[in-house]
Amino acid sequence: MSSSSASSSSHMKIYDVFTSFHGADVRQGFLSHLHTHFESKAITTFNDQGMERGQTIKPELDKAIRESRVLIVVFSKDYASSSWCLDELVEIFNCKEAQGQTVIPIFYKVDPSDVKKQRGDFGRAFEKTCEEKSEKVKQTWSKVLADVATIAGEHSLNWPNEAEMIQKIATNVLEKLNDTPSSDFEDKVGLEAHLRNLYSLLDLESDDVKMIGIWGPAGIGKTTIAEALYSQLSSSFKLSCFMENLKGSYKSNESKLSLQSQLLSKIMNQKDLRVNHLGAIKARLQDQRVLIVLDDVDNLKQLEVLAKELSWFGSGSRIIVTTEDKKILKAHEINDVYHVDFPSKEDALEIFCRSAFKQRSVLDGFEELANKVAEFCGNLPLGLCVVGSSLRGESKDEWEHQLSGIETSSLDREIEDVLRVGYDRLLKEDKSLFLHIACFFNNDNVDHVSSLLADTHDVKNGLKTLVEKSLVHTHGSIVMHYLLQKLGRQIVVEQSDDEPGKRQFLLEFKEIRDVLEKETGTGSVIGISLDKSTIGNDHHVSVGKRAFEGMRNLRLLRIYENPDHLVEEGMGMLMDFCAGKVDAFSKIYKSRFGAEAKLQIPEDMEYLSPLTLFHWDFYPGKSLPPGFQPDRLVELHMPSSNLEKLWGGIERLPNLKSIDLNRSHSLKEIPNLLNATNLEKLNLEYCLSLVELPSSIRNLHKLKKLKMDGCKKLLVIPTNINLASLEEVEMWNCYQLRSFPDFSTNIRKLRIGVIPTNINLPSLEVFSVNCCSRLASFPDISSNITKLNLGNTKIKDIPTSVVRCWSRLEWLDIGSRSIKRLTHVPPSVRMLHANGCVSLKRVCCSFPNETKRLSFYNCIQLDEESRRRIIQQSIQGEILLPGKEIPAEFTHKATGKSITIPLASGTFSASSRFKACILLSPIEKCLSLDISCRLRSKGDGTIHSVSTAAWLSDMPSFSEHLFIFSGDLFPQQNRCHEVDVTISEITFEFSGEKHDDKIIECGVEIMTEEDEGSSSSQVDNLETESNRSQVDTLETEISRSQVDNFEIESSSSSEWTTKVEATTQMETEIKTMKQKTGL
């Protein structure tokens, strides 16, 4: 026997039962009745009819044994007279040991003890067979006979008749089949969860006939799930069949009889069964309990031919349909539909690892590359498996070489063949929408896309079709899988391989450059999208004078800078601006508009078609092309432009919804917007030359957002404006404005840089007066506020009136250099930023468990008691504060970025949590620091990963800081399952994006319920101390107030009354506090 025979535990199980027997004893009688009964129960049995038996087992039998789930041995009087039977028995026993297959012995008219001890007639036959065999062979046979004879089975002498025994054997086999899942699916990640959900839908206890659907995109694993389900269930149905890959099987009416013939041939196990009429399935199966899987259905006609009515099938039947098109299921009134979604990031990585490494986790050194592949494949199982198998066994260098070409090369043929079918079956208008999304609108907002394509597409119904066919999904935004997007872009290239100007969309830099410079664009072009960050430093584009003249149907023009490319630049610019360096922006603009600019247009460019989307970052012209008609314009997005004006006069603007000209430094005037009655967004941030807003702004009754931060020369804003729809206004750092204009009473979000007066707006929820250096007291604003930013002001404390009245406040930034003591914080606050409070010494308040962030960045004067209070807060989120060393409560500490902790058995569970602390060295300007913590077990890869962020500010840190956060020891999904109790240690690896070198030390504490209770107790003790402190403070204030009362003889009576009222209020607060605390 080959070694693979004994070790191949994952071999596909073709048969339910393999029977080992001596033909002359049982074939014509007992065995024939047994097999007939198996057939009636839809139990598939290996048939050795016609196979010549010789001296050794043939490879076909060897293979059949390994491919059977239950192995039956019929011991009869002359069983041991055949060396064939004895060798077969050895193979059966080896498979039982190696693969865990079920063995059922049947003792037919022979005593089990005679088999076990090889005595009586059975023993004499055995001895005769062994005469010409070696002692080793005899001992092997003898041992196997003894071992198998001790396995529980059936003894014919214990039954009154064979019929009852056969019935019992068949029932036993069915139970074994149902209890023995196929091993073919053991390595399928996430399959168990899918099957649990499907069992619930199938409701197998019910005698009703049910049809259910399995719906999802191509390559997601629908067929694999259906195969596993079929493998588990088929043996419990009298008749069953799996109709695989039905896609494209219905081409005409002639296909109908062929499809019915295929199904009935499979389910009846009769080759090429002829069907003469379309009532055949109903006639044959209406009284049978059947399981039928119809896989990859893509045409409603297929269901109408194969499973038109529930009445076609007998009681308890189940029909399972897999498809990419949900509309088919709806049309066939299949209401129980299971949606197969993309696997989680962790499951996707495991799928890839099983394909690439033949193990669950990533090989050391391949982590970054493996994650890159998973991201490229967009967690699509088909892509993960195909790419993984192509990389299996390759070196790291070869991986890097292949991955460098994956994004630019065409799709793998296997992946393309699967994905392309869904696109090919779309109607023309739906294909067009698919390509628009693939080339322009992936991850874009549904309403935004609907607005831009309103004159050419029925976006709502088109999206419904694409969703039903699993080509996109929508949750506010339109999301197309990366591989489908790649397919769509590949289809566009195929429209004209050699002449890009004849394609619908232009997306690649070199092709766009050629078309614009050589003026070869045609009427086929409807969209151009150029990421300028893909233009190399040595390349420039000089747009031809008539570059757009041939593109009369161009509707979408987007020339942009990748946001990631500008983030670091923009952060530094914002920090410089906050620091008073107003000219900070010019550093960037010189490189965008000077002679070295990457994209230049002629001043006399003659034509630009009527666009719906005009998006051009860093537009180099001072004005738009002459003759440009904005009447179709829906969105004008030209941030950081060199524009001085847009157009003169009053234009028809019936479709215009959004204008974004932010950071257009040279912009001096806004055109008359009298006819822009549908305008919803106007962004003029950092338009440094803008002096006034036009009076036509009064007509913008649908305007929702107005952004004018940093318009330092803005002087004139029309008065008496009442814009009922206006909800958000940002006018921070408008230095010339001395008061806030009365725009609307419905504003929900307001950001200003002047001392607020007359803004007690009842609808106001978010309010910021950041950097208003003259503000010294809390503003008089609505108590409905939820988010308040008072950073860089002169506020000294939070008054008790705020604590009492602002019950909805959740986010508070109190970063004032003047504040010395923090005694009150509204209990509703979940995020507190006290960054830059360089004078803050004492924090006397506590925070609820639901708190998500406490940030005391650069609060360098905090006393030890306050630091201890903050560190010991038991909150859900993270804590940042100055510190020189890891606190003592973190029992495990290490220098550097990682620490390994031993775990004793029984000290942790699936719900265990940890608390971590890292010591950071001083950091230069950085608004936020992303922190990751990866948990690894010894030799078994990643257990879990936790990501969080430390929110800093626009100033460098003055000292080392502690960053504290907590997390689950195991992923949340493990809470319902047992965790690996054999884990002996866990390594915590910390990293900070772009700032790994700033992590000096780390510490970890494994949390238990007792620990958390202890933490709460410590905080309670501190609260008691705080309450005493607050009482002492109030009593001191009363004493001072009473002294003051004696010193105001010359004051007016109203002043005296005010002082007395204040004293009375303090006395009341002391009594209340003493009652609450028991002091």
Side-chain angles (χ1 to χ4, degrees):
M1 181 185 64
S2 67
S3 61
S4 63
S5 299
S7 62
S8 178
S9 63
S10 60
H11 206 285
M12 179 73 175
K13 301 299 181 287
I14 304 298
Y15 310 104
D16 291 329
V17 171
F18 178 93
T19 310
S20 176
F21 59 93
H22 187 259
D25 288 348
V26 297
R27 187 189 293 276
Q28 300 302 320
F30 170 76
L31 190 67
S32 65
H33 297 312
L34 181 64
H35 282 180
T36 299
H37 204 74
F38 281 166
E39 187 177 346
S40 72
K41 296 286 187 182
I43 298 173
T44 306
T45 308
F46 172 73
N47 188 348
D48 70 345
Q49 289 286 3
M51 183 178 292
E52 294 183 8
R53 298 199 170 217
Q55 295 301 311
T56 59
I57 295 181
K58 289 184 175 292
E60 298 96 316
L61 281 178
D62 181 81
K63 185 170 180 285
I65 291 171
R66 285 184 280 115
E67 292 178 345
S68 298
R69 296 172 66 187
V70 176
L71 306 173
I72 293 178
V73 182
V74 182
F75 289 117
S76 57
K77 184 180 68 171
D78 289 328
Y79 183 90
S81 66
S82 168
S83 61
W84 176 293
C85 288
L86 294 172
D87 284 340
E88 207 171 64
L89 186 65
V90 172
E91 179 68 13
I92 285 171
F93 188 76
N94 286 337
C95 282
K96 171 187 178 295
E97 295 295 299
Q99 297 183 200
Q101 286 158 280
T102 299
V103 175
I104 300 176
I106 298 172
F107 302 95
Y108 185 73
K109 298 181 179 180
V110 65
D111 193 312
S113 63
D114 287 350
V115 176
K116 181 179 180 180
K117 298 178 181 179
Q118 297 99 53
R119 67 188 184 189
D121 291 343
F122 188 91
R124 283 187 286 274
F126 176 73
E127 290 296 334
K128 187 175 182 180
T129 306
C130 293
E131 285 177 357
E132 297 180 2
K133 303 297 180 181
S134 67
E135 185 63 26
K136 182 179 180 182
V137 170
K138 181 180 179 180
Q139 290 300 323
T140 299
W141 286 346
S142 178
K143 183 179 186 304
V144 170
L145 284 167
D147 288 337
V148 175
T150 59
I151 299 172
E154 298 296 338
H155 185 0
S156 64
L157 299 180
N158 294 336
W159 289 90
N161 58 69
E162 287 185 8
E164 289 186 23
M165 183 174 75
I166 287 172
Q167 176 66 41
K168 175 64 167 59
I169 293 168
T171 301
N172 188 20
V173 168
L174 279 175
E175 290 175 352
K176 298 293 185 186
L177 291 173
N178 290 337
D179 291 341
T180 310
S182 171
S183 60
D184 303 318
F185 306 98
E186 288 177 354
D187 63 343
K188 301 302 180 185
V189 180
L191 181 60
E192 196 176 309
H194 291 307
L195 294 181
R196 278 199 305 271
N197 293 326
L198 283 164
Y199 269 102
S200 177
L201 275 183
L202 285 166
D203 189 16
L204 294 169
E205 300 300 318
S206 171
D207 289 331
D208 294 337
V209 180
K210 292 198 70 173
M211 288 191 196
I212 73 163
I214 300 177
W215 167 60
I220 198 72
K222 301 181 298 298
T223 298
T224 300
I225 294 168
E227 286 175 339
L229 196 61
Y230 181 80
S231 176
Q232 290 190 3
L233 296 178
S234 58
S235 60
S236 60
F237 286 79
K238 183 175 181 180
L239 297 174
S240 62
C241 79
F242 192 104
M243 293 283 285
E244 69 275 1
N245 194 24
L246 286 168
K247 184 176 286 183
S249 62
Y250 184 88
K251 296 180 174 65
S252 64
N253 286 334
E254 287 73 25
S255 304
K256 294 180 179 180
L257 292 178
S258 174
L259 283 171
Q260 287 212 353
S261 174
Q262 290 176 44
L263 187 145
L264 287 173
S265 295
K266 278 177 173 281
I267 204 165
M268 296 295 183
N269 199 20
Q270 296 181 34
K271 190 175 181 180
D272 299 328
L273 193 151
R274 292 189 63 184
V275 171
N276 298 316
H277 60 89
L278 293 176
I281 290 179
K282 181 177 181 181
R284 294 290 189 98
L285 303 181
Q286 62 182 341
D287 296 321
Q288 303 291 336
R289 183 174 181 267
V290 301
L291 172 67
I292 298 174
V293 176
L294 304 177
D295 178 49
D296 218 355
V297 170
D298 67 343
N299 192 317
L300 179 60
K301 295 289 185 182
Q302 293 163 338
L303 292 184
E304 292 175 347
V305 170
L306 297 172
K308 185 175 184 178
E309 305 282 351
L310 294 176
S311 61
W312 284 18
F313 310 101
S315 174
S317 292
R318 295 294 182 268
I319 316 301
I320 300 168
V321 181
T322 78
T323 183
E324 296 168 27
D325 192 345
K326 190 178 182 182
K327 190 174 183 179
I328 292 175
L329 300 176
K330 285 183 180 178
H332 204 59
E333 297 183 348
I334 298 176
N335 299 316
D336 292 323
V337 179
Y338 179 64
H339 180 222
V340 185
D341 209 344
F342 290 95
S344 66
K345 184 178 179 181
E346 291 77 16
D347 282 352
L349 190 59
E350 184 177 340
I351 291 170
F352 173 73
C353 289
R354 287 185 181 274
S355 178
F357 307 120
K358 289 294 184 181
Q359 62 183 48
R360 293 180 57 187
S361 57
V362 184
L363 283 181
D364 287 341
F366 283 80
E367 291 86 356
E368 185 177 345
L369 291 169
N371 281 299
K372 187 176 180 181
V373 173
E375 183 179 352
F376 164 77
C377 294
N379 294 0
L380 184 71
L382 172 66
L384 293 164
C385 291
V386 170
V387 177
S389 61
S390 71
L391 294 169
R392 188 185 307 147
E394 300 290 354
S395 66
K396 189 174 179 181
D397 289 341
E398 181 61 23
W399 272 52
E400 291 173 343
H401 174 69
Q402 288 197 36
L403 290 178
S404 64
I406 279 181
E407 295 185 6
T408 55
S409 62
S410 299
L411 282 173
D412 177 274
R413 174 57 64 182
E414 182 180 351
I415 297 173
E416 181 183 353
D417 288 345
V418 172
L419 300 182
R420 178 99 189 209
V421 177
Y423 170 81
D424 287 340
R425 294 188 61 83
L426 293 173
L427 297 175
K428 182 179 178 180
E429 55 269 28
D430 295 326
K431 285 183 177 178
S432 175
L433 181 58
F434 178 92
L435 295 181
H436 273 80
I437 295 169
C439 296
F440 245 87
F441 298 120
N442 197 9
N443 298 307
D444 210 334
N445 180 271
V446 173
D447 293 335
H448 182 228
V449 176
S450 299
S451 297
L452 290 172
L453 300 183
D455 62 339
T456 57
H457 291 76
D458 182 353
V459 174
K460 182 178 179 181
N461 285 322
L463 282 177
K464 184 179 179 183
T465 297
L466 296 182
V467 168
E468 287 172 341
K469 294 184 181 297
S470 302
L471 295 172
V472 300
H473 64 269
T474 57
H475 297 287
S477 295
I478 304 170
V479 180
M480 177 180 285
H481 191 275
Y482 175 75
L483 295 179
L484 282 169
Q485 174 181 283
K486 193 173 179 69
L487 171 70
R489 296 186 175 197
Q490 192 168 302
I491 290 169
V492 168
V493 171
E494 292 169 0
Q495 292 172 351
S496 178
D497 286 327
D498 301 325
E499 298 181 71
K502 293 182 178 180
R503 300 174 192 161
Q504 285 183 293
F505 298 97
L506 298 175
L507 306 171
E508 298 297 327
F509 158 63
K510 291 182 180 179
E511 294 164 350
I512 293 172
R513 179 189 62 188
D514 289 346
V515 170
L516 294 182
E517 290 186 344
K518 298 175 182 178
E519 302 177 353
T520 56
T522 69
S524 298
V525 180
I526 56 178
I528 297 175
S529 180
L530 172 63
D531 178 0
K532 290 203 293 181
S533 64
T534 63
I535 304 176
N537 293 329
D538 299 330
H539 294 90
H540 296 83
V541 180
S542 296
V543 180
K545 182 178 179 180
R546 296 182 176 85
F548 294 98
E549 190 169 317
M551 295 183 276
R552 297 282 170 173
N553 295 312
L554 184 65
R555 293 292 177 267
L556 307 167
L557 178 61
R558 181 171 62 193
I559 299 174
Y560 66 101
E561 293 265 7
N562 190 313
D564 294 337
H565 184 68
L566 291 173
V567 164
E568 196 168 324
E569 215 169 26
M571 286 297 187
M573 182 175 65
L574 178 61
M575 292 176 179
D576 285 344
F577 192 86
C578 290
K581 301 176 183 177
V582 180
D583 63 341
F585 297 101
S586 62
K587 297 176 183 177
I588 292 178
Y589 291 88
K590 287 178 181 178
S591 66
R592 297 302 193 275
F593 303 130
E596 72 278 18
K598 293 180 179 180
L599 195 150
Q600 299 170 345
I601 61 172
E603 293 184 6
D604 58 347
M605 189 166 68
E606 294 184 355
Y607 175 83
L608 191 59
S609 61
L611 301 170
T612 55
L613 172 65
F614 194 170
H615 178 166
W616 196 319
D617 292 354
F618 297 97
Y619 179 76
K622 294 182 179 180
S623 63
L624 299 180
F628 171 67
Q629 297 297 317
D631 55 303
R632 291 189 181 181
L633 202 58
V634 175
E635 180 177 331
L636 181 68
H637 189 88
M638 305 184 78
S640 307
S641 74
N642 203 34
L643 287 166
E644 293 182 358
K645 67 174 184 176
L646 293 175
W647 54 76
I650 302 175
E651 293 282 357
R652 290 183 64 252
L653 303 166
N655 303 304
L656 189 59
K657 289 192 173 184
S658 175
I659 297 176
D660 187 347
L661 298 166
N662 80 86
R663 302 191 304 277
S664 295
H665 290 171
S666 302
L667 188 70
K668 297 176 181 178
E669 61 180 85
I670 301 298
N672 192 309
L673 299 175
L674 181 65
N675 292 325
T677 53
N678 288 306
L679 190 68
E680 297 177 355
K681 300 176 184 176
L682 180 58
N683 187 348
L684 303 171
E685 290 180 324
Y686 303 106
C687 291
L688 304 181
S689 301
L690 190 64
V691 176
E692 66 176 305
L693 282 180
S695 59
S696 59
I697 195 174
R698 293 191 183 96
N699 298 308
L700 307 181
H701 295 295
K702 292 186 179 181
L703 189 68
K704 295 179 180 179
K705 296 181 180 180
L706 175 63
K707 295 186 176 184
M708 301 193 67
D709 284 351
C711 293
K712 66 173 187 175
K713 291 185 179 180
L714 185 67
L715 287 169
V716 181
I717 294 180
T719 57
N720 301 320
I721 299 174
N722 186 17
L723 303 177
S725 298
L726 191 61
E727 296 179 346
E728 296 184 23
V729 177
E730 297 183 12
M731 301 187 71
W732 173 68
N733 274 348
C734 295
Y735 298 126
Q736 304 298 325
L737 287 179
R738 293 300 174 186
S739 62
F740 175 69
D742 187 11
F743 279 125
S744 169
T745 57
N746 298 321
I747 295 175
R748 293 189 305 105
K749 180 179 178 181
L750 179 61
R751 173 180 162 104
I752 58 177
V754 297
I755 294 181
T757 57
N758 302 320
I759 57 167
N760 193 4
L761 307 172
S763 57
L764 191 63
E765 296 176 359
V766 179
F767 183 52
S768 173
V769 282
N770 184 35
C771 296
C772 183
S773 58
R774 293 180 293 165
L775 185 65
S777 61
F778 259 67
D780 181 18
I781 55 177
S782 169
S783 59
N784 292 323
I785 203 80
T786 60
K787 186 174 181 179
L788 181 62
N789 187 345
L790 301 172
N792 298 305
T793 62
K794 290 186 177 179
I795 289 177
K796 297 181 179 179
D797 200 355
I798 303 176
T800 55
S801 59
V802 169
V803 178
R804 286 196 304 269
C805 300
W806 291 10
S807 60
R808 298 183 60 195
L809 186 63
E810 295 182 356
W811 192 99
L812 176 62
D813 188 329
I814 190 71
S816 167
R817 289 176 175 267
S818 302
I819 192 168
K820 296 182 179 180
R821 182 186 183 98
L822 195 58
T823 55
H824 311 286
V825 174
S828 57
V829 170
R830 296 295 175 261
M831 294 190 182
L832 176 68
H833 286 227
N835 296 344
C837 294
V838 294
S839 302
L840 181 63
K841 295 182 178 180
R842 192 80 188 273
V843 176
C844 306
C845 48
S846 60
F847 304 91
N849 179 261
E850 296 83 4
T851 302
K852 296 178 180 178
R853 182 182 303 144
L854 295 175
S855 187
F856 293 90
Y857 179 72
N858 272 346
C859 296
I860 54 177
Q861 293 199 46
L862 279 173
D863 61 27
E864 282 302 314
E865 181 183 342
S866 297
R867 290 180 67 258
R868 183 164 56 92
R869 171 185 296 279
I870 294 168
I871 291 169
Q872 292 179 350
Q873 292 293 320
S874 178
I875 68 170
Q876 291 181 355
E878 63 269 3
I879 298 172
L880 178 69
L881 76 164
K884 299 287 186 181
E885 60 183 17
I886 303 293
E889 49 262 49
F890 292 91
T891 49
H892 305 279
K893 305 176 187 179
T895 301
K897 297 179 291 187
S898 68
I899 183 171
T900 298
I901 297 175
L903 291 178
S905 179
T907 61
F908 62 93
S909 67
S911 60
S912 293
R913 290 176 58 79
F914 71 91
K915 190 174 182 181
C917 178
I918 57 176
L919 177 63
L920 299 168
S921 61
I923 298 174
E924 293 300 315
K925 295 180 181 180
C926 178
L927 290 181
S928 69
L929 175 61
D930 293 329
I931 300 292
S932 295
C933 175
R934 185 181 182 192
L935 284 68
R936 296 170 60 97
S937 63
K938 185 177 181 180
D940 195 35
T942 301
I943 298 174
H944 190 30
S945 58
V946 177
S947 298
T948 184
W951 291 87
L952 312 180
S953 75
D954 57 356
M955 65 177 75
S957 52
F958 299 145
S959 69
E960 293 85 357
H961 277 70
L962 297 176
F963 182 65
I964 301 169
F965 63 97
S966 58
D968 296 302
L969 206 57
F970 301 96
Q972 288 289 321
Q973 57 263 36
N974 282 352
R975 286 180 180 266
C976 300
H977 307 286
E978 293 296 323
V979 298
D980 185 357
V981 295
T982 65
I983 295 176
S984 59
E985 63 182 37
I986 294 182
T987 298
F988 292 76
E989 298 174 349
F990 301 94
S991 61
E993 186 179 13
K994 299 180 182 178
H995 292 285
D996 265 0
D997 59 322
K998 299 298 182 181
I999 301 177
I1000 306 172
E1001 298 176 6
C1002 58
V1004 172
E1005 176 186 6
I1006 304 298
M1007 302 294 290
T1008 63
E1009 291 183 7
E1010 291 77 9
D1011 291 332
E1012 296 186 31
S1014 173
S1015 176
S1016 300
S1017 176
Q1018 291 173 354
V1019 173
D1020 289 342
N1021 292 337
L1022 287 171
E1023 285 178 357
T1024 302
E1025 294 176 16
S1026 174
N1027 289 331
R1028 288 196 180 101
S1029 174
Q1030 290 180 31
V1031 170
D1032 292 343
T1033 301
L1034 287 170
E1035 287 176 340
T1036 301
E1037 290 180 8
I1038 286 181
S1039 299
R1040 288 174 179 164
S1041 177
Q1042 290 171 344
V1043 170
D1044 291 342
N1045 287 342
F1046 288 105
E1047 295 177 354
I1048 58 170
E1049 293 177 359
S1050 60
S1051 302
S1052 65
S1053 60
S1054 62
E1055 290 175 327
W1056 186 86
T1057 302
T1058 301
K1059 290 264 188 176
V1060 171
E1061 288 175 350
T1063 302
T1064 304
Q1065 182 179 352
M1066 289 183 193
E1067 290 174 336
T1068 302
E1069 288 182 12
I1070 288 178
K1071 289 179 181 178
T1072 302
M1073 192 172 292
K1074 284 185 175 180
Q1075 289 173 353
K1076 287 182 178 180
T1077 58
L1079 294 176

